[in-house]
Amino acid sequence: MSSDLVIGMMPKELGNPYFESCREGAREAAREREFTLLWDGPRQPDAAAQAGYVTRWVSEGVPVIAVSVEDRAGLSPVLKEARKRGVRVLTWDADAEPDARDFTVVPAAAEGIAQALAYEVGRTLGGHGEVAIITSTLNAPNQSAWLAQLRKRLASDFPDVEIVGVRTCNDLEARAHRETEGILKRRPQLGAIVGLCAPAVPGAARALKGARRRGVHLTGLS
């Protein structure tokens, strides 16, 4: 691999522990394949800010851009324009529209994630009860796909399990903690919580510990 190659890689947000792990993997790949890695992005999930970074990289002549897409509709037009200018566009973790990128890498299919989470919720609740879900944002393509498939899977496999609330935490652990506290106060019969983003699980866990709600099961992706 030529040492002149430059790749701009963007997470949904900087500082998120999941994306920091991704950054270490990208750095290792850059050392092994001898390319220059530009790792940058917004401080919190923001499609408009991501678009700004893509536009800047294109103007600077970065030949390859890889993005974890926060909002498919918001970012795809900018990625399509980058491709028109000869930039190779990859998406990872969360995908854009198919014609907005050359290649995508996702950790798992939405159907597989939903199957695993639905099974765990159904198992822990004994097939009936209330579950609440904490996601990052409603626009994130991977989160929305996982949520849609989870709804579908629970309805088909565990019809007596009811989703009683979906809350967003904007990928912030502190907000996931606050949202969980609110859910616990409003739903005394709640039996389970699913965290769909990395910060949701530890945030919900802290809230459960503080509320001493030992009868509420917690699972998710983290």
Side-chain angles (χ1 to χ4, degrees), residues 8 28 34 38 40 55 64 75-77 84 108 113 129 131 161 164 213:
E28 182 178 346
E34 297 182 351
L38 303 178
D40 210 346
T55 300
V64 182
L75 198 58
S76 290
K84 289 180 182 179
I113 289 173
V131 59
V161 171
V164 295
R213 289 285 292 274

Side-chain angles (χ1 to χ4, degrees), residues 1-3 5 7 24-37:
M1 184 69 69
S2 170
S3 59
L5 178 63
I7 298 178
E24 289 306 309
R27 284 175 168 172
E28 182 178 346
R31 290 192 296 267
E32 290 179 353
R33 306 301 293 173
E34 297 182 351
F35 63 84
T36 298
L37 174 69

Side-chain angles (χ1 to χ4, degrees), residues 134-151:
I134 301 177
T135 185
S136 60
T137 69
L138 297 178
N139 294 325
N142 57 341
Q143 300 278 301
S144 58
W146 299 343
L147 177 57
Q149 289 296 322
L150 180 56
R151 288 184 184 276

Side-chain angles (χ1 to χ4, degrees), residues 8-21:
M9 190 168 183
M10 190 190 324
K12 290 180 182 176
E13 61 173 338
L14 299 178
N16 182 308
Y18 166 75
F19 289 118
E20 285 302 301
S21 294

Side-chain angles (χ1 to χ4, degrees), residues 184 204-213:
L184 294 174
R206 286 199 300 114
L208 285 170
K209 184 176 180 181
R212 299 182 183 275
R213 289 285 292 274

Side-chain angles (χ1 to χ4, degrees), residues 50-68:
Q50 282 194 316
Y53 281 100
V54 171
T55 300
R56 190 191 76 194
W57 280 341
V58 171
S59 68
E60 292 174 350
V62 177
V64 182
I65 294 174
V67 185
S68 175

Side-chain angles (χ1 to χ4, degrees), residues 169-187:
C169 71
N170 211 37
D171 264 328
L172 299 173
E173 183 178 329
R175 182 166 169 178
H177 179 264
R178 293 194 301 271
E179 292 291 345
T180 303
E181 287 182 323
I183 292 169
L184 294 174
K185 290 177 182 178
R186 290 189 295 272
R187 309 300 306 193

Side-chain angles (χ1 to χ4, degrees), residues 12 45-48 50-51 54 67-81 89 91-101 104-106 108-111 136-149:
K12 290 180 182 176
D46 186 332
Q50 282 194 316
V54 171
V67 185
S68 175
V69 177
E70 171 57 31
D71 185 322
R72 177 180 284 121
L75 198 58
S76 290
V78 181
L79 297 178
K80 290 178 185 179
E81 183 61 29
V89 175
T91 59
W92 56 282
D93 176 64
D95 198 10
E97 295 174 4
D99 60 346
R101 43 72 172 169
T104 188
V105 179
V106 293
E111 294 84 357
S136 60
T137 69
L138 297 178
N139 294 325
N142 57 341
Q143 300 278 301
S144 58
W146 299 343
L147 177 57
Q149 289 296 322

